[in-house]
Amino acid sequence: MRVEARLFDITTGFFFLAAVVYGVWSREPAGTVGLILTGGLSLIIGSYFHFVARRVARRPEDNPEAEISDGAGEVGFFSAGSYWPVTIAASGGLAALSLAFMQIWLLVVALICILGAVAGLVFEYHTRPNATD
């Protein structure tokens, strides 16, 4: 996690430096505030990565002398044939359209569809515990 934390440290510094330069050079407040807020959001994410990096074991990505084979092994289980991500995206699109046209009833339907699709994705491979007779 140290690599990610360092990446966000660099982007945070860039955004704050860009805010100072932009604010002095253009004297336009909206862009300056936008750059300051972007730097603040980057600072939040970087702080989270620093917090997590202290609590997790060191990964091969954090070791500059690591070999590619050090990162070998199982990464996780990713379903290649799941339709739930498409369903979530379609439900999100429906929610965006309902907001664009200010159709509150359609937004309620879209939010129900999003919750159902997320539940379907989460519980796709969930199996019941074996019932003992």
Side-chain angles (χ1 to χ4, degrees):
M1 299 304 266
R2 298 187 199 292
V3 174
E4 293 88 351
R6 184 72 180 140
L7 178 69
F8 277 97
D9 289 343
I10 292 169
T11 57
T12 299
F14 170 76
F15 286 129
F16 285 142
L17 180 67
V20 170
V21 170
Y22 184 81
V24 169
W25 189 33
S26 71
R27 299 187 195 281
E28 193 262 322
T32 306
V33 170
L35 284 169
I36 290 171
L37 291 175
T38 303
L41 290 173
S42 179
L43 179 66
I44 291 171
I45 297 169
S47 299
Y48 170 76
F49 280 138
H50 277 294
F51 179 76
V52 170
R54 288 189 307 226
R55 285 162 174 71
V56 297
R58 202 170 153 102
R59 301 178 308 162
E61 291 88 356
D62 297 328
N63 183 5
E65 297 169 3
E67 298 291 328
I68 293 175
S69 61
D70 293 341
E74 184 177 333
V75 177
F77 176 74
F78 303 100
S79 175
S82 177
Y83 291 106
W84 289 112
V86 177
T87 309
I88 293 171
S91 302
L94 184 64
L97 281 174
S98 66
L99 285 173
F101 291 109
M102 288 306 295
Q103 299 294 322
I104 301 303
W105 67 272
L106 189 58
L107 179 62
V108 171
V109 170
L111 290 176
I112 291 170
C113 290
I114 288 172
L115 290 176
V118 168
L121 180 66
V122 168
F123 296 115
E124 182 173 13
Y125 291 103
H126 178 73
T127 56
R128 282 187 0 183
N130 293 334
T132 57
D133 291 36

